[in-house]
Amino acid sequence: MTNGQLSEHEQRLIGEMVDGEVEAVFRWGIIVDLRLSRVGLIDALYIDDEDNYQVGDRVSGYLDCFDEQKGKFILRPPDQIPLAERLRRAREQ
């Protein structure tokens, strides 16, 4: 599914704050039911040690993009800077 195949509603949500429910918790990330055509993923790089996600939790985040390779929407918690920016800053240090 490419961005061109996302519904107009889903395309308009990119960059917006959305809500969902945690479906699964893994070391590599959190799967979130967004009630859209695909689930969301909060990448482990956005999860701090003190975060405690549980299945069934309600979460909010920015819908950063749709990752075609993963087939998932990428979510960013509201208090986190975008992943590309975090990686750029890490390389500069």
Side-chain angles (χ1 to χ4, degrees), residues 31-87:
I31 302 297
V32 179
D33 178 4
L34 300 171
R35 299 191 182 265
L36 298 173
S37 64
R38 304 292 177 146
V39 296
L41 169 67
I42 301 174
D43 192 284
L45 293 172
Y46 285 134
I47 301 169
D48 294 324
D49 290 339
E50 64 272 3
D51 291 339
N52 185 22
Y53 290 98
Q54 300 291 324
V55 172
D57 286 352
R58 296 293 300 167
V59 295
S60 297
Y62 290 102
L63 193 64
D64 271 354
C65 65
F66 179 76
D67 186 315
E68 293 180 31
Q69 290 181 334
K70 294 178 181 170
K72 294 174 178 56
F73 289 100
I74 303 303
L75 291 174
R76 176 175 47 91
D79 57 339
Q80 295 286 356
I81 60 172
L83 186 56
E85 178 65 15
R86 289 180 82 176
L87 294 173

